[in-house]
């Protein structure tokens, strides 16, 4: 009863410190540490003793109050400046949490008091949120606070009997109860549309926690995790957009199609992602296209179930049309590489239906093959891969485009031969091999119309430089 009274008084003192003055707050922390050291925890937690039933709940309330005190302030420091006072406070709170976890571990190891599990159930959520808030490098952390937070997380997993964070959140098997529900219950008040940006650490806690929960555990929490992911992805800051899209991608990859199609969730996801394609940020475009490529099978399955199989790939057509529209005038290399990186996946998904986009694809392929893309030549290599797939899937419609594509490939070969830049020989070899493969495919689908005499005077003859043996072999083949 004395301990219960002391903890209640401590909670009242913490609630009365609105500005959290340094000396008064540290005095309270010192008193709590003294209580933790002096209490006989095995007797207090033993169900046969006279310990009050509210003690584990009081400990949980105290842990939540201290975790909030150690959280970064609601207003972010200008220019991402450091917050040394927050890191110092977090290190002190973490040291107290380590003491409390150490006492619980001692009670657990004694095997004489099963009631430690009740106390851990109230403490696990606040301890976990504290650890995830401070374990990584952020403006509000320091090496010391990061080390203490990492110790708190490791000790929490050990006391909980879990080998990983995923097991801690989900449980050992599908039938076991993890602590993801409890953690999301603590995060829920801070993850609505108005409050998710108040605590700058909240988006990182939610995102990192979400990434640890996979199929089949994630499905039952869909109503809790989908709205915050959409809020974060809909922010005006690109960093938050990318973070939110990563959360949405994790949901798409780990929730069954039937659950995503229920209540039209998949269409909501598609519209939210599609709108991001108008943003000229290569990191965002990269995340969005990867997520959309995983979402297309879900949307197509919904169309098949509704009996509209003819329109099953309309979403993919719509995205590819917009991507090609943006690719044509794009001059920024990072965006060009990002678009080119995902173009083969769209051609593979559409197959023969790529013929709907052949006219625009032809312009994009010719334009991207002409532009040097730096030493790695990522855009050109991906465009050559796209051209191979286009020829393979739409070969009956290629013969009428033979001259345009052949000129572009021959010009590329001449550019490779003339290239005196820092492009590695391995990259030049890869370009030559891909281009030669495209020429072979063109020759096959045009019934042998690829002849060197038709273009020797116009292209190869104008390439006045010494070719390597492999390049000369390619020219001779043509």
């Amino acid at each position: 009863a004395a301990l219960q009274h002391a903890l209640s008084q401590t909670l009242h003192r913490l609630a009365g410190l609105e500005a959290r003055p340094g000396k008064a707050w540290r005095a309270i922390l010192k008193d709590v540490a003294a209580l933790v050291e002096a209490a006989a925890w095995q007797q207090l937690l033993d169900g046969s003793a006279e310990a009050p039933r509210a003690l584990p709940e009081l400990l949980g309330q105290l842990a939540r109050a201290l975790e909030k005190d150690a959280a970064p302030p609601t207003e972010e420091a200008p220019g991402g400046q450091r917050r040394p006072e927050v890191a110092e406070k977090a290190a002190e709170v973490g040291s107290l949490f380590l003491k409390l976890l150490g006492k619980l571990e001692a009670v657990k190891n004694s095997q004489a008091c099963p009631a430690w599990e009740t106390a851990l159930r109230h403490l696990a959520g606040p301890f976990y949120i504290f650890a995830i808030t401070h374990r990584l490098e952020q403006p509000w952390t320091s090496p010391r606070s990061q080390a203490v937070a990492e110790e708190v997380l490791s000790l929490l997993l050990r006391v909980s009997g879990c080998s990983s964070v995923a097991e801690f959140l989900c449980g050992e098997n599908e039938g076991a109860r993890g602590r993801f529900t409890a953690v999301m219950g603590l995060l829920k008040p801070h993850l609505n549309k108005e409050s998710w940006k108040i605590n700058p650490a909240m988006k990182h806690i939610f995102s990192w926690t979400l990434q640890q929960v996979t199929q089949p555990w994630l499905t039952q929490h869909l109503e809790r995790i989908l709205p915050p992911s959409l809020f974060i992805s809909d922010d005006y800051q690109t960093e938050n957009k990318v973070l939110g899209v990563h959360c949405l991608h994790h949901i798409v990859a780990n929730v069954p199609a039937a659950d995503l199609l229920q209540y039209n969730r998949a269409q909501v996801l598609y519209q939210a992602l599609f709108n991001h394609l108008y943003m000229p940020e290569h990191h965002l475009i990269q995340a969005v296209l990867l997520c959309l490529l995983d979402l297309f099978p879900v949307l197509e399955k919904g169309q098949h179930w509704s009996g509209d199989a003819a329109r099953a790939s309309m979403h993919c057509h719509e995205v590819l049309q917009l991507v090609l529209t943006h690719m044509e005038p794009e001059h920024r290399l990072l965006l060009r590489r990002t678009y080119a990186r995902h173009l083969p996946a769209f051609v593979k998904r559409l197959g023969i239906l790529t013929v709907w986009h052949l006219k625009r694809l032809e312009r994009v392929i010719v334009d991207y093959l002409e532009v040097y893309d730096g030493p790695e030549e990522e855009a050109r290599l991906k465009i050559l891969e796209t051209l191979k797939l286009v020829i393979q899937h739409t070969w009956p419609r290629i013969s009428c485009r033979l001259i345009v594509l052949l000129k572009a490939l021959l010009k590329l070969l001449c550019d490779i031969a003339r290239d005196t830049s820092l492009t590695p020989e391995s990259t030049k070899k890869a370009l030559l091999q891909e281009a030669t493969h495209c020429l072979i495919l063109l020759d096959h689908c045009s019934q042998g119309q690829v002849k060197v005499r038709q273009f020797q005077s116009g292209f190869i003859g104008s390439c006045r430089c010494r070719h390597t043996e492999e390049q000369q072999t390619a020219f001779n083949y043509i």
Side-chain angles (χ1 to χ4, degrees):
L3 181 62
Q4 181 183 10
H5 179 72
L7 290 177
S8 299
Q9 290 294 324
T10 302
L11 282 171
H12 284 300
R13 290 167 65 191
L14 282 173
L17 292 176
E18 295 182 1
R20 301 286 186 266
K23 291 184 178 180
W25 185 84
R26 284 179 175 80
I28 296 175
L29 208 65
K30 187 176 180 181
D31 292 344
V32 175
L35 287 173
V36 170
E37 289 292 343
W41 291 100
Q42 184 169 336
Q43 295 180 7
L44 288 170
L45 296 176
D46 191 354
S48 62
E50 297 182 356
R53 293 181 179 178
L55 179 60
E57 189 174 339
L58 273 173
L59 287 172
Q61 293 176 6
L62 180 63
R64 287 197 295 273
L66 291 174
E67 180 270 318
K68 290 179 182 177
D69 284 349
T74 55
E75 67 279 358
E76 294 189 23
Q81 296 177 2
R82 288 284 173 186
R83 294 278 192 175
E85 70 282 358
V86 179
E88 184 180 352
K89 186 180 290 187
E92 295 179 21
V93 171
S95 299
L96 175 61
F97 286 173
L98 285 173
K99 289 181 181 179
L100 193 50
L101 279 170
K103 294 292 184 180
L104 280 181
E105 186 178 30
V107 174
K108 174 188 175 182
N109 293 336
S110 69
Q111 298 181 350
C113 176
W116 65 270
E117 295 181 358
T118 305
L120 182 63
R121 188 166 63 247
H122 287 86
L123 294 171
F127 285 178
Y128 172 83
I129 292 175
F130 168 83
I132 304 304
T133 302
H134 300 281
R135 65 187 292 267
L136 298 178
E137 184 176 357
Q138 297 288 351
W140 56 84
T141 63
S142 66
R144 179 170 173 248
S145 67
Q146 289 176 243
V148 171
E150 193 66 47
E151 287 183 45
V152 170
L153 183 61
S154 299
L155 186 54
L156 176 61
L157 294 179
R158 191 167 74 230
V159 174
S160 303
C162 300
S163 59
S164 65
V165 175
E167 184 181 340
F168 173 82
L169 293 170
C170 304
E172 189 174 356
N173 51 60
E174 190 173 350
R177 285 189 64 186
R179 292 179 171 83
F180 185 66
T181 302
V183 171
M184 289 303 300
L186 295 176
L187 296 179
K188 185 178 179 180
H190 309 284
L191 288 176
N192 58 56
K193 194 171 185 179
E194 291 75 26
S195 63
W196 73 268
K197 293 190 74 174
I198 292 178
N199 183 346
M202 196 55 57
K203 59 186 179 185
H204 301 290
I205 301 170
F206 171 74
S207 173
W208 195 86
T209 301
L210 177 64
Q211 300 290 330
Q212 311 309 307
V213 184
T214 55
Q215 197 173 5
W217 292 276
L218 200 61
T219 305
Q220 57 186 312
H221 305 288
L222 192 54
E223 293 296 333
R224 292 188 182 94
I225 60 177
L226 188 55
S229 301
L230 289 169
F231 293 152
I232 298 173
S233 71
D234 195 37
D235 192 53
Y236 68 94
Q237 292 180 315
T238 302
E239 175 193 354
N240 293 334
K241 288 180 184 290
V242 174
L243 190 66
V245 171
H246 285 315
C247 293
L248 294 176
H249 192 183
H250 185 76
I251 293 171
V252 170
N254 289 278
V255 174
D259 294 286
L260 289 176
L261 291 169
Q262 194 175 22
Y263 307 120
N264 218 26
R265 294 187 184 109
Q267 282 292 339
V268 172
L269 287 171
Y270 173 74
Q271 290 299 330
L273 294 167
F274 186 81
N275 292 336
H276 290 318
L277 292 175
Y278 292 95
M279 298 294 296
E281 301 288 343
H282 69 278
H283 289 305
L284 179 60
I285 297 296
Q286 166 81 7
V288 169
L289 290 178
L290 285 173
C291 187
L292 282 171
L293 287 167
D294 282 343
L295 184 62
F296 288 148
V298 178
L299 295 166
E300 291 173 10
K301 189 172 291 187
Q303 294 287 349
H304 281 294
W305 288 351
S306 65
D308 193 7
R311 295 175 55 83
S313 59
M314 289 306 297
H315 297 93
C316 189
H317 282 297
E318 188 178 20
V319 173
L320 180 56
Q321 183 179 2
L322 183 61
V323 166
L324 292 174
T325 301
H326 290 167
M327 287 182 75
E328 282 194 73
E330 188 56 60
H331 63 278
R332 287 162 287 195
L333 286 180
L334 290 176
L335 271 172
R336 288 170 69 94
R337 291 170 189 158
T338 303
Y339 286 130
R341 191 179 301 134
H342 297 93
L343 208 52
F346 281 91
V347 178
K348 287 180 184 177
R349 172 154 292 280
L350 290 176
I352 185 62
L353 296 179
T354 308
V355 295
W356 292 12
H357 309 276
L358 265 185
K359 188 177 292 186
R360 186 165 287 171
L361 265 171
E362 176 191 306
R363 295 198 299 265
V364 168
I365 288 170
V366 171
D367 175 56
Y368 276 56
L369 289 180
E370 289 179 352
V371 179
Y372 174 71
D373 187 45
E376 300 302 322
E377 293 281 21
E378 182 183 357
R380 274 176 163 176
L381 285 170
K382 286 297 180 181
I383 289 297
L384 286 171
E385 182 184 349
T386 303
L387 178 57
K388 282 196 307 183
L389 292 168
V390 169
I391 296 172
Q392 290 169 353
H393 288 293
T394 67
W395 62 267
R397 300 288 296 274
I398 293 298
S399 58
C400 61
R401 294 174 167 81
L402 176 63
I403 295 178
V404 174
L405 295 176
L406 188 53
K407 286 182 178 180
L409 288 170
L410 291 174
K411 187 176 186 302
L412 174 64
L413 291 174
C414 291
D415 289 343
I416 297 171
R418 291 192 185 101
D419 187 9
T420 57
S421 65
L422 298 177
T423 305
E425 288 300 322
S426 58
T427 303
K428 293 181 182 180
K429 184 177 180 180
L431 282 171
L432 178 62
Q433 289 176 344
E434 292 293 311
T436 305
H437 196 183
C438 290
L439 289 169
I440 295 171
L441 291 174
L442 279 176
D443 186 61
H444 286 324
C445 72
S446 64
Q447 299 178 351
Q449 295 181 35
V450 179
K451 304 295 182 183
V452 66
R453 62 177 178 269
Q454 296 174 350
F455 301 97
Q456 187 169 7
S457 61
F459 287 91
I460 299 179
S462 64
C463 183
R464 303 184 183 279
C465 58
R466 289 186 299 175
H467 308 301
T468 64
E469 183 179 350
E470 290 178 335
Q471 290 167 337
Q472 191 62 50
T473 302
F475 291 145
N476 291 339
Y477 172 79
I478 301 166

